[in-house]
Amino acid sequence: MSGAARWSCLLAENSPIRHWDGEFLVFNPANASTHLIGAPAFEVLQTLRQTPAPLSLAELAERLLGAGAAEDEAFLAELGACLQQFEDLGLAETLSA
C-alpha cells in the first residue's frame, strides 16, 4: 500500500446495517454478502462511508483519533490492515492518487 493510496467505502448510502449485541451486521448488495463487524472496525467503515472524497491513511487516522494520529505507527499499521480486510470483503477500495 503506497503512501499516495486513498481509500473509499463501496457501500451504498442505503446499504442495510443493523446494530446487534455490540457489533454491526453489514449487508453488501453489490456481492450479496453479509459481514459481522466489531464496533472499532465499523467506526472506520462509517467514517469512510460518510466522507464524500477518498481519504489517505493519515487523513482517516486523524478523523478517527484527532490531530497527531498520523504519527502513531502502530495505529496506522492496524488501520491499514483493517482497510485491507475491507477491500478483500468488497466493502472498500484503494485508489491511486
Side-chain angles (χ1 to χ4, degrees), residues 2-91:
S2 103
R6 301 187 71 76
W7 292 89
S8 179
C9 182
L10 293 175
L11 287 178
E13 189 63 34
N14 62 349
S15 293
I17 296 173
R18 299 291 180 261
H19 183 253
W20 184 57
D21 197 27
E23 297 183 306
F24 294 85
L25 197 59
V26 177
F27 178 70
N28 185 355
N31 59 13
S33 60
T34 302
H35 307 283
L36 187 61
I37 299 174
F42 182 74
E43 186 177 350
V44 172
L45 189 62
Q46 266 304 84
T47 300
L48 281 178
R49 189 175 184 212
Q50 294 172 346
T51 305
L55 297 172
S56 70
L57 192 62
E59 291 167 337
L60 181 56
E62 291 196 351
R63 285 187 186 232
L64 292 165
L65 295 183
E71 306 302 319
D72 185 339
E73 293 297 324
F75 178 70
L76 290 177
E78 286 187 39
L79 183 57
C82 179
L83 291 168
Q84 186 58 58
Q85 288 180 342
F86 285 156
E87 186 170 47
D88 293 346
L89 295 172
L91 300 174

